[in-house]
Amino acid sequence: MTSNPEREPLAFLLNSSARFLNSVFERRIANAGLGLTPGEARALLTVAAIDGAKQADIAARIGLEPMTVCTYLDKLESLALVERRPNPDDRRSKCIYLTESSTQMLKSVREEVDGLMAQATEGLGREDIERFHALLSVLQKNLHTAAMDKNRTDG
């Protein structure tokens, strides 16, 4: 079997770009003086995206273990940025919601993300960015399916 040289660089570019993106995000959040760790900032952004979700769903979306996310949510709750409420469909679990006092913090975190993305997409036009987003969404869906298939065969 011969290797396709075009695929190897794509995998490398995706992996290294994700690592750089993560590294710069962590530095920006750490230097912003928000009082949040990068993990807590990610958790807050994820709660904002899927407000009212279960902790396990938040963890799955971030790609972390539920106990790690629990620690982040504990901190966010202590800062009155999120609240846990009983899940109406399952008494054993709680759903996570943003609080009214999270508005300013969320705005500040999003400003950091927007600045990062402006820097990362410098030189790209709006259509380029929209197409890139669409392509990455397909790639993510395919990789999620592959991961779920692997979990089914490993279990």
Side-chain angles (χ1 to χ4, degrees), residues 16 61 103 126:
S16 65
R61 185 165 175 145
T103 304
R126 184 169 182 72

Side-chain angles (χ1 to χ4, degrees), residues 9-23:
L10 178 60
F12 174 79
L13 284 171
L14 282 169
N15 188 31
S16 65
S17 295
R19 284 186 294 121
F20 284 135
L21 184 69
N22 190 47
S23 175

